[in-house]
Amino acid sequence: MRRTDRRTVPASTYTVQGGRQDCTCVTIRMLQSPTNTTLPTSSNFPASHKVNSDHHHNDMQAYWREVRSIEEEKEGQEEEDEEERHSMDEVEMEEAWLKEAGLFFLVSGITSSEASLPLPEAVISTLTHQQAAIVRTRLDNYNETLRKRNRQPLRDVRDIFAESEDKSAELCPSSSPHSADFPPGRYHITTKTIRRSAHRARPHFVFEDQLTDHPSCSSLKAPQANTNPSSPVLSSPPPACHWRQVDWLLQDTPYSEGVAEHRHSSTCWDCQSFQGDLRGKLQFVPVIPSNGLTCVDDLSPRDLTRLGFISHIELTTFLLALGVQTKRTRPSRTKAQDGAVFGVTLKSLLESDKKKFPGTKIPIVFQKLLSILEQSGLQMEGILRVPASVARLKYLRKELDRNPEVFDWSAVRQVDAAGLLKLFIRELPTPLLTYTHLPTFSSVMGISSELHQVQALQLLTLLLPEVHRETLKALLVFLRKVVSHQDQNRMSLWNVSMVMAPNLFPQCNHGKRHSPAKQREEIEVAVGGAQLIQLMIQYQDLLWTVPNFLLTQVRQLNQASDQKQLSLSRTRMYLLKKKKNQNDGNRITKLCEGVIQVHAPQHTKVSMAIQLEEQTTAKDVTARFEGQNSPPQRLYEVGGNICERRLHPDCPLMEVYKVNPCCDWLIKPGHVSPSTSGELNSHL
Amino acid sequence: MPEQSNDYRVVVFGAGGVGKSSLVLRFVKGTFRDTYIPTVEDTYRQVISCDKSVCTLQITDTTGSHQFPAMQRLSISKGHAFILVYSITSKQSLEELKPIYQQVLAIKGNVEAIPIMLVGNKSDETQREVETKDGEAQANQWKCAFMETSAKTNHNVTELFQELLNLDKKRNMSLNIDGKRSGKQSRAERLKGKCSVM
């Protein structure tokens, strides 16, 4: 009721339009002046759009048109966002940070009984020097702010970091944030973990002259084998080409390690390859073979939680190393909505959907809208851009909210579906990219190199809650399909990005007049947001890929926390031992070097021992379990230093065996239902 | 995977290429292939009836090569019954069973109560090197049962496993779960079996 009332209040249309036109003017002005430093550099701009400023003009018009239609749609609504999302106070901020890093125990003093949460000591022992330095500063800040308020900090930094004061001062980024001479070892504490190559040279990058000519597995391994850190990678200039392999995914080096030079000089290898002589459009080429790579949904929830902790610390380290500031805002209170679809969190939508369809990962309404658009909208000219009638949208929204069960989907046209889709995204009480991470997404816009932007986006998507990540994934897949039909629908990558940006990066107070500074900021957000969406659509496959170094750190974390827990409780140790004794797979693996035992509890052939050779892949193993008409099977790595990971069919098993010699090998159907994975987790 | 206590484990031994995997595959899946893929160790599962309830027959198909002595020892200590396979076309393959038998004897101590079956496979082949009576003589010496089979023509395969189960005097096992009994009866028995497990 309240909502409809608001709509009927005559809005100050003049202000809205005036404000928009102002913005458009500024856009043109700014895009035309190349000297203006507040705008992203031209090299960041998609090549096809910097031919002349007319293009920009048109492009930005599309953005502001979308903004205006959003404004029109919610005309009369109170602007409550501003007051709600004021910045957090420092204690809260630091507390939230430590919590997301899996170190909540440090600030709460409560030991979590949940086994899924690792001990903070274990988390910290897993970190690199730079990452640990960040945690240290954060904890310092936290304690400092607590002291200011005359509250006793629960833990002193020195309890956590055992190093001597002077040594750690040297590591502390506040004194010498990113000096060229790094401390000798990457990891600040030596633990007896699986670190096999602690000293690795700066990432080497393989450049390919042609997309078709993918390097073989050996050519990828070759630079890794050259671990001599002194060998100057920069000695020979990179061959000028526009294809860039995404081999950084395979490196063991955290992103934050490579970018220290980035800040100080222009010698950052990664950026050079972009801003050097190649001004054309750069494309990332997937690494072939995609062997050892892990997708987000290959991992068990427990591993993902831990991955999130490390990714969170790494992202902060990475952004600081790049010199990008992140402003945090307080998560907004969720507005209570009486509808059944719009304004309901993704989480609760999914929960109710799961009652009917247990395997669902994305709210059904969202899937439905996408499928209507995919069936009939891909060829439509201006899809997503052409607005639906406001009155009609209002009606459809009301109908859907009333009862989605009986809603007549056949009456929904493509334009309506596009409108409803965007409305749905905007009305989410927690935005698709979440309040927690939206500020970080914004700060990614400030990164000067596209490569580092993609890397940061990758770390960020790992932090999103599962339903948000899955929904975003579905959306990006759809947007890519729209772009692939641009011959018919005339929606280029840039067009789609611009139309979607205001929906994904909500801006408040568009209609109001602002100071020029504020307007400039808005334009920056507009261009930056559209560019981010563009990157996300273009390189979406990368976003769901877990970089190898993160997985390695998760393995170390698991191992470290297992050891800690072992020393903690004798009973637990006894239980673990007992479990291990029951495990025949481990016994055989221990008995014979290079032999693994693969279990397939759902098959007639329940287990198989196999002698691993260098070329043995997961596919080779599953092939020996599949019948003529059985569904495709997947091989899983279970236990050891990981909870559960589904292996890519081309994954060389020897690599897995080397990093996780104690794991079990399980054969299961390709898609695990949530219940079975839960059982497995509890079993472990 | 933790072992289930009511599993009955049969281990198949023999030299390389005598047809261990073929025998097992013929029995478990009813198929036969002419190609030779060396086995390291495969385990199959089949549901059988045991003491009027349902239990799992686990058949472990072992490697013919001598690469993994530790694995061989492990399977002997875990096994309840053993099938020793040679090929009637190779005298050598019968010879190679002798150390395996000795090892079973060494690990299990007393083999009297342990069902062991000596099997001459490839009985369809015409170029015979080992006569049936030679096999029988060897079985007599080892005090175990004897049978000639062909995985290719499906001769004596099911019989081999049923016979082996019959040899176990401590349990009353049958390959048929329902078979001759009426549905009603067997359901009652299965329920009873479940109760006893619980």
Side-chain angles (χ1 to χ4, degrees):
Chain A
M1 275 307 286
R2 203 169 143 233
R3 180 164 291 277
T4 38
D5 281 350
R6 277 197 221 140
R7 289 242 169 83
T8 52
V9 173
S12 48
T13 340
Y14 169 75
T15 330
V16 173
Q17 290 211 338
R20 187 200 57 86
Q21 279 163 0
D22 267 4
C23 291
T24 318
C25 293
V26 180
T27 318
I28 303 163
R29 222 172 30 242
M30 290 181 57
L31 289 168
Q32 278 172 341
S33 63
T35 48
N36 197 318
T37 48
T38 54
L39 261 187
T41 54
S42 59
S43 64
N44 261 353
F45 238 88
S48 54
H49 296 287
K50 58 179 179 189
V51 185
N52 61 48
S53 52
D54 272 353
H55 266 130
H56 283 307
H57 181 185
N58 291 337
D59 291 343
M60 291 329 286
Q61 260 191 347
Y63 180 93
W64 297 114
R65 196 183 298 132
E66 181 70 17
V67 170
R68 186 174 54 160
S69 72
I70 294 170
E71 294 286 324
E72 269 171 13
E73 194 268 324
K74 54 175 187 183
E75 240 162 52
Q77 273 188 45
E78 294 155 37
E79 293 288 354
E80 43 192 0
D81 286 355
E82 187 77 341
E83 27 183 319
E84 265 183 45
R85 293 198 291 139
H86 64 75
S87 55
M88 296 165 96
D89 91 35
E90 219 174 335
V91 177
E92 275 180 298
M93 204 170 79
E94 298 297 335
E95 218 170 79
W97 192 92
L98 289 166
K99 208 170 164 182
E100 273 171 67
L103 301 167
F104 186 58
F105 165 66
L106 295 184
V107 291
S108 65
I110 305 157
T111 323
S112 171
S113 53
E114 242 181 289
S116 68
L117 289 179
L119 291 166
E121 286 84 355
V123 175
I124 288 163
S125 73
T126 321
L127 303 176
T128 67
H129 278 292
Q130 290 188 42
Q131 291 170 342
I134 291 287
V135 174
R136 211 192 131 87
T137 333
R138 287 292 181 154
L139 201 59
D140 262 336
N141 279 351
Y142 175 70
N143 287 346
E144 190 56 39
T145 42
L146 274 188
R147 260 188 222 105
K148 273 186 208 153
R149 299 180 171 199
N150 296 322
R151 275 160 64 185
Q152 195 55 45
L154 277 156
R155 284 278 197 120
D156 192 84
V157 188
R158 279 160 296 189
D159 295 347
I160 317 293
F161 292 88
E163 298 133 290
S164 59
E165 197 54 40
D166 54 338
K167 196 188 165 198
S168 40
E170 170 198 324
L171 294 176
C172 190
S174 55
S175 55
S176 61
H178 297 285
S179 53
D181 45 44
F182 282 118
R186 180 194 298 159
Y187 299 99
H188 78 124
I189 295 172
T190 321
T191 45
K192 278 176 247 158
T193 48
I194 43 157
R195 245 161 246 148
R196 283 171 194 279
S197 48
H199 299 274
R200 197 150 265 187
R202 280 273 298 109
H204 301 243
F205 293 110
V206 181
F207 283 83
E208 284 305 300
D209 287 318
Q210 279 158 353
L211 177 60
T212 47
D213 185 20
H214 289 302
S216 65
C217 190
S218 59
S219 81
L220 271 177
K221 276 178 190 152
Q224 285 195 353
N226 173 19
T227 48
N228 181 8
S230 62
S231 71
V233 192
L234 296 172
S235 59
S236 60
C241 71
H242 294 232
W243 302 106
R244 161 80 199 244
Q245 268 215 324
V246 292
D247 59 341
W248 68 78
L249 292 172
L250 296 173
Q251 303 290 338
D252 275 349
T253 324
Y255 297 157
S256 57
E257 295 275 300
V259 293
E261 302 95 328
H262 170 95
R263 208 178 161 191
H264 288 287
S265 56
S266 58
T267 52
C268 179
W269 179 253
D270 299 340
C271 301
Q272 257 196 352
S273 60
F274 286 95
Q275 291 163 350
D277 46 348
L278 32 123
R279 296 227 162 252
K281 196 167 181 176
L282 199 124
Q283 294 266 343
F284 297 119
V285 185
V287 272
I288 304 284
S290 51
N291 47 30
L293 291 181
T294 312
C295 285
V296 185
D297 45 3
D298 286 341
L299 289 170
S300 69
R302 198 185 98 156
D303 289 319
L304 271 182
T305 315
R306 294 179 169 207
L307 193 73
F309 296 151
I310 310 247
S311 185
H312 171 68
I313 297 173
E314 164 65 11
L315 183 65
T316 314
T317 317
F318 184 53
L319 290 180
L320 189 81
L322 287 166
V324 178
Q325 293 289 320
T326 307
K327 194 173 67 188
R328 291 214 128 202
T329 49
R330 184 201 300 270
S332 162
R333 275 175 287 123
T334 47
K335 289 169 252 169
Q337 302 260 342
D338 38 2
V341 173
F342 294 88
V344 183
T345 58
L346 286 175
K347 203 173 154 229
S348 36
L349 280 174
L350 186 69
E351 263 163 26
S352 58
D353 283 344
K354 266 189 174 164
K355 283 174 197 149
K356 272 168 280 165
F357 310 94
T360 326
K361 288 178 162 180
I362 302 159
I364 302 288
V365 182
F366 196 79
Q367 290 185 40
K368 192 74 201 169
L369 288 169
L370 287 186
S371 86
I372 290 177
L373 283 165
E374 273 178 29
Q375 275 162 22
S376 58
L378 290 177
Q379 279 97 3
M380 189 199 132
E381 191 173 318
I383 185 70
L384 291 173
R385 189 172 177 166
V386 176
S389 114
V390 176
R392 188 165 164 76
L393 267 189
K394 211 181 274 180
Y395 165 75
L396 288 172
R397 175 201 172 128
K398 219 164 92 188
E399 285 298 297
L400 249 177
D401 263 341
R402 207 162 46 97
N403 191 354
E405 306 272 318
V406 297
F407 183 77
D408 180 17
W409 285 101
S410 62
V412 178
R413 289 167 304 185
Q414 315 105 320
V415 207
D416 306 330
L420 286 174
L421 182 83
K422 291 190 287 186
L423 185 69
F424 177 83
I425 294 172
R426 286 198 307 271
E427 290 288 305
L428 286 173
T430 312
L432 190 54
L433 302 176
T434 73
Y435 279 123
T436 322
H437 300 298
L438 262 175
T440 323
F441 274 100
S442 309
S443 55
V444 171
M445 298 173 193
I447 299 175
S448 58
S449 113
E450 209 168 277
L451 173 103
H452 294 325
Q453 281 185 322
V454 172
Q455 290 178 333
L457 284 176
Q458 203 183 4
L459 294 173
L460 254 171
T461 39
L462 292 175
L463 299 178
L464 293 177
E466 194 191 350
V467 59
H468 286 254
R469 194 175 49 233
E470 292 294 335
T471 309
L472 177 66
K473 193 172 175 176
L475 177 68
L476 291 178
V477 167
F478 163 69
L479 294 180
R480 180 161 61 185
K481 276 185 198 154
V482 172
V483 175
S484 72
H485 287 77
Q486 58 178 306
D487 291 344
Q488 294 122 47
N489 61 32
R490 299 184 60 195
M491 290 299 284
S492 66
L493 178 61
W494 183 242
N495 281 341
V496 171
S497 309
M498 252 185 320
V499 170
M500 290 315 287
N503 294 291
L504 287 164
F505 299 106
Q507 284 199 54
C508 36
N509 297 338
H510 274 295
K512 310 227 171 91
R513 286 184 180 279
H514 293 305
S515 62
K518 183 91 187 187
Q519 283 177 354
R520 208 176 304 130
E521 197 184 297
E522 264 185 23
I523 286 151
E524 250 182 88
V525 171
V527 176
Q531 274 174 347
L532 274 199
I533 305 288
Q534 176 170 271
L535 282 180
M536 283 160 80
I537 298 173
Q538 203 170 3
Y539 301 122
Q540 50 184 286
D541 295 334
L542 289 181
L543 299 185
W544 327 116
T545 316
V546 179
N548 263 5
F549 75 88
L550 274 185
L551 198 64
T552 310
Q553 283 192 304
V554 169
R555 288 184 192 278
Q556 287 162 6
L557 172 57
N558 284 338
Q559 204 148 325
S561 60
D562 281 352
Q563 280 169 358
K564 287 267 156 60
Q565 270 164 1
L566 272 180
S567 59
L568 267 185
S569 112
R570 272 172 175 266
T571 19
R572 207 178 257 170
M573 185 158 74
Y574 171 72
L575 285 173
L576 276 172
K577 234 183 197 169
K578 212 174 154 192
K579 251 180 198 169
K580 263 185 191 142
N581 282 347
Q582 288 175 345
N583 203 323
D584 284 320
N586 279 354
R587 261 153 85 185
I588 282 204
T589 311
K590 271 175 205 143
L591 286 175
C592 318
E593 183 66 30
V595 177
I596 60 163
Q597 185 148 30
V598 183
H599 294 278
Q602 296 167 5
H603 286 65
T604 320
K605 181 169 169 178
V606 279
S607 80
M608 179 183 82
I610 187 168
Q611 168 94 61
L612 287 186
E613 285 163 26
E614 284 299 329
Q615 308 84 13
T616 314
T617 62
K619 204 167 46 193
D620 296 339
V621 171
T622 49
R624 297 180 69 167
F625 283 90
E626 275 162 16
Q628 285 110 349
N629 38 20
S630 68
Q633 305 288 314
R634 294 290 294 269
L635 184 60
Y636 289 75
E637 168 198 359
V638 182
N641 53 35
I642 203 110
C643 183
E644 184 183 304
R645 174 190 166 210
R646 183 171 55 196
L647 300 173
H648 190 276
D650 293 324
C651 177
L653 300 184
M654 207 50 158
E655 313 261 304
V656 183
Y657 178 72
K658 279 177 192 156
V659 293
N660 194 4
C662 292
C663 72
D664 278 336
W665 305 78
L666 265 189
I667 300 251
K668 288 193 287 183
H671 275 280
V672 222
S673 63
S675 60
T676 43
S677 67
E679 269 167 36
L680 264 159
N681 292 342
S682 65
H683 169 73
L684 290 160
Chain B
M1 293 291 105
E3 296 287 344
Q4 280 174 3
S5 53
N6 61 342
D7 277 4
Y8 190 73
R9 291 186 287 273
V10 173
V11 188
V12 186
F13 286 118
V18 297
K20 295 180 293 298
S21 302
S22 297
L23 269 179
V24 174
L25 277 175
R26 172 61 91 182
F27 173 65
V28 174
K29 293 189 174 169
T31 56
F32 179 81
R33 53 167 195 226
D34 255 325
T35 50
Y36 176 55
I37 304 170
T39 310
V40 176
E41 189 188 277
D42 291 353
T43 303
Y44 297 86
R45 192 176 46 185
Q46 189 93 328
V47 178
I48 56 163
S49 82
C50 168
D51 295 335
K52 293 180 178 173
S53 74
V54 179
C55 88
T56 309
L57 173 68
Q58 231 187 60
I59 305 165
T60 302
D61 180 15
T62 64
T63 178
S65 73
H66 305 291
Q67 267 180 295
F68 312 105
M71 263 166 76
Q72 191 178 325
R73 279 197 296 276
L74 185 66
S75 0
I76 293 174
S77 61
K78 283 197 310 182
H80 293 113
F82 301 92
I83 298 176
L84 307 179
V85 188
Y86 68 93
S87 160
I88 61 149
T89 63
S90 155
K91 206 163 181 66
Q92 174 62 23
S93 69
L94 181 59
E95 288 299 312
E96 282 186 42
L97 281 177
K98 286 176 181 170
I100 296 173
Y101 177 80
Q102 292 306 325
Q103 186 142 35
V104 174
L105 198 64
I107 291 172
K108 291 289 184 189
N110 183 12
V111 289
E112 301 264 318
I114 296 171
I116 299 177
M117 179 76 85
L118 180 67
V119 174
N121 192 31
K122 308 195 186 177
S123 65
D124 56 291
E125 293 270 345
T126 45
Q127 293 203 320
R128 193 182 267 272
E129 270 189 27
V130 185
E131 291 302 322
T132 312
K133 61 174 180 13
D134 299 340
E136 276 169 349
Q138 186 64 71
N140 278 335
Q141 194 194 325
W142 285 346
K143 291 180 186 134
C144 67
F146 174 73
M147 205 175 249
E148 277 193 356
T149 60
S150 165
K152 194 174 188 171
T153 63
N154 199 9
H155 171 64
N156 261 350
V157 178
T158 318
E159 290 81 351
L160 157 68
F161 284 91
Q162 182 56 64
E163 193 57 33
L164 185 75
L165 295 184
N166 292 345
L167 284 175
D168 200 306
K169 301 299 175 207
K170 285 178 281 183
R171 301 171 183 83
N172 179 18
M173 287 178 290
S174 166
L175 293 176
N176 306 310
I177 325 174
D178 293 321
K180 294 145 204 165
R181 281 168 287 166
S182 75
K184 210 175 187 178
Q185 202 185 346
S186 78
R187 204 182 305 138
E189 270 171 5
R190 244 182 281 163
L191 281 172
K192 216 164 96 190
K194 272 179 194 160
C195 289
S196 70
V197 170
M198 283 159 95

